Amino acid sequence: LGMAVRVLDTGALGVLMPHVDTVGEARIIASAFRYPPLGHRSISSTLPQFHFQPPPADQACRELDAATLVGVMLETPLAAENADAIAAVPGIDLLFIGATDLAAESGLHGQFAHPRIEAMLRNIVDACRRHGKLVGIGGIADDTTLARYCAMGMQMVLLGTDMGYLMAAASARSRTLRAAMDTPAT
C-alpha cells in the first residue's frame, strides 16, 4: 500500500490494486487511499496535481478524493463471491476483473466463455450496478467473448498490455523488413 500512496502523492489520479478477495482488504485499500473523514491517507504539502501550490488542506483533500479513481482487482472465485460486499465499500470506485487469473484460480485456464466464469462476471457486474460502482475487465483476447461481456455492462476494458502491443508492432515491422529483403533488387 505504501508504494501506491507514494504514486498518488507524486501526481497519479488513480490506482488499481491487484488480488483483492475480501471486504476487509477493500476497506484497508479505501482507507489508505482516501483522505479523512473517509480514509486515513496522509496529507502532503507538495501536491503536483495543484502545481505544488495547493489550496487549503480541506479543499485539496476534497478535490483530490473526487478526482482519484480507486480500483480493486477481483481475480479469484472468492473475490467474485464477495463482490457485493466489496462494491459496497465507500471509497472504492471500480471493481476490475482480472479474467486470466479468475479463470486460472477457477481451474478453467483460458476458458473465458465457461458458464462458471460468466456467472461470476454477472455477479460482479450486478454488484457494481447495485452500488453505483464502475466495472471493468482485462485479459480476454477473443473478440466474441469480450463483446458478450462488454454487452453485460463492462465500462472499462483492457484490450492488451504495453508489452503485447510493443511485440505486435515489432513483429509487424520485422515481417515488412524481411519481405523487403526477400524482394530481388532491380
Side-chain angles (χ1 to χ4, degrees):
L1 291 176
M3 290 298 291
V5 171
R6 293 296 146 247
V7 168
L8 292 173
D9 286 347
T10 58
L13 289 174
V15 72
L16 184 59
M17 293 300 292
H19 296 287
V20 176
D21 290 330
T22 68
V23 68
E25 292 168 342
R27 285 184 183 132
I28 289 168
I29 289 164
S31 179
F33 299 151
R34 297 295 181 186
Y35 292 108
L38 185 57
H40 299 284
R41 180 175 167 193
S42 294
I43 300 169
S44 175
S45 61
T46 57
L47 297 170
Q49 299 92 331
F50 296 103
H51 306 287
F52 301 101
Q53 298 175 359
D58 62 335
Q59 179 185 347
C61 292
R62 192 174 49 255
E63 289 179 15
L64 284 176
D65 268 346
T68 301
L69 178 77
V70 177
V72 294
M73 291 185 71
L74 307 186
E75 302 173 90
T76 67
L78 177 61
E81 182 180 317
N82 290 327
D84 195 68
I86 292 169
V89 174
I92 299 295
D93 302 307
L94 164 71
L95 276 62
F96 190 86
I97 301 156
T100 302
D101 288 332
L102 179 61
E105 293 278 345
S106 301
L108 300 166
H109 289 276
Q111 297 179 52
F112 303 117
H114 193 282
R116 281 190 4 227
I117 300 297
E118 185 171 349
M120 286 187 274
L121 269 56
R122 169 62 60 201
N123 185 56
I124 295 167
V125 168
D126 290 347
C128 288
R129 281 194 181 119
R130 273 190 297 281
H131 297 284
K133 303 296 171 91
L134 298 169
V135 62
I137 193 165
I140 299 177
D142 175 66
D143 292 342
T144 302
T145 303
L146 186 58
R148 186 167 80 233
Y149 292 144
C150 286
M152 188 184 280
M154 298 300 161
Q155 297 162 295
M156 178 181 179
V157 179
L158 180 62
L159 297 175
T161 64
D162 51 357
M163 184 55 77
Y165 289 127
L166 286 170
M167 292 302 295
S171 294
R173 187 68 177 143
S174 178
R175 284 190 300 274
T176 301
L177 180 57
R178 287 180 195 280
M181 292 178 73
D182 289 341
T183 304
T186 56

